[in-house]
Amino acid sequence: GAVVSQHPSRVICKSGTSVKIECRSLDFQATTMFWYRQFPKQSLMLMATSNEGSKATYEQGVEKDKFLINHASLTLSTLTVTSAHPEDSSFYICSARRQDGSYEQYFGPGTRLTVT
Amino acid sequence: LAKTTQPISMDSYEGQEVNITCSHNNIATNDYITWYQQFPSQGPRFIIQGYKTKVTNEVASLFIPADRKSSTLSLPRVSLSDTAVYYCLVGDQGGSYIPTFGRGTSLIVHP
């Protein structure tokens, strides 16, 4: 089946630094990828929709200047958490939608971000 | 976007059949119903998808009544490894569909 990977799987960074998370579709092309954030014991919260070659669409309340999204190719989207703070510590999950007409959706394994 | 409602939690025992119901009263004509399973610190995993009546695969069955305002995920003979959160999503699965998660159902399977 189709696979979506995320890198890194977990990262610890110091407050004030920036962290980049990669989301790759390994065996299919994805014009659209989604980024979610999940806090402990809570559901996935959609942060933004990432479209290849265009600006991401952010959900209400998500700061676009803090969570930079770049979808530079049909297999890669990146989420950069800029000037991270402890409250940004969370589980970040991406998903990718096939562009071949099936519109099937696949989720990545997630990235655990801890900001100290 | 069709809103979904599920029980927050359920408990079961190994070997039992578990049925998790999801309400989606304002489901649209073109919407499909998709269920995902999520283990702690992992991404959601697709379980099953259906449009109407009954769908069965190797891990679950999905029952959808004629009015499609609800659906039931059936897990036969659960084991401890089925302890997870189960999410019901509703959407047209087309190019503009944005998967939106509700609160999900936390299933705990006891020995």
Side-chain angles (χ1 to χ4, degrees), chain A residues 59-78:
Chain A
E59 294 299 301
Q60 192 172 10
V62 178
E63 300 176 56
K64 63 179 182 180
D65 294 329
K66 179 170 182 61
F67 298 98
L68 301 178
I69 292 173
N70 183 19
H71 193 156
S73 78
L74 289 173
T75 58
L76 174 64
S77 176
T78 61

Side-chain angles (χ1 to χ4, degrees), chain B residues 40-88:
Chain B
S41 296
Q42 295 187 27
R45 182 177 78 102
F46 172 88
I47 301 175
I48 198 166
Q49 183 182 82
Y51 183 81
K52 63 179 179 180
T53 62
K54 177 183 175 182
V55 179
T56 297
N57 61 22
E58 61 274 11
V59 297
S61 294
L62 179 59
F63 298 92
I64 306 167
D67 66 6
R68 303 199 328 121
K69 293 184 183 298
S70 67
S71 59
T72 300
L73 174 71
S74 182
L75 304 173
R77 296 185 300 280
V78 294
S79 64
L80 296 178
S81 62
D82 292 315
T83 294
V85 179
Y86 293 82
Y87 295 97
C88 159

Side-chain angles (χ1 to χ4, degrees), chain A residues 40-52:
Chain A
K41 304 291 186 184
Q42 294 187 24
S43 183
L44 285 75
M45 184 188 77
L46 180 68
M47 299 176 67
T49 301
S50 168
N51 295 296
E52 188 267 336

Side-chain angles (χ1 to χ4, degrees), chain A residues 10 32 34 36 38 42-44 46 49 59 91 93 95 97 102-103 105 107-110 112, chain B residues 36 38 40-46 87 89 93-104:
Chain A
R10 57 178 63 239
T32 304
F34 303 96
Y36 297 84
Q38 186 174 34
Q42 294 187 24
S43 183
L44 285 75
L46 180 68
T49 301
E59 294 299 301
F91 192 54
I93 303 169
S95 73
R97 171 185 292 151
S102 71
Y103 299 123
Q105 194 96 24
F107 287 84
R112 173 73 60 191
Chain B
Y36 290 90
Q38 187 185 29
S41 296
Q42 295 187 27
R45 182 177 78 102
F46 172 88
Y87 295 97
L89 276 69
Q93 301 299 309
S96 61
Y97 169 57
I98 299 176
T100 304
F101 288 77
R103 298 182 65 177

Side-chain angles (χ1 to χ4, degrees), chain B residues 6-11 20 83-86 103-108:
Chain B
Q6 305 174 230
I8 293 175
S9 64
M10 294 182 71
D11 289 86
I20 306 174
T83 294
V85 179
Y86 293 82
R103 298 182 65 177
T105 298
S106 175
L107 171 66
I108 298 176

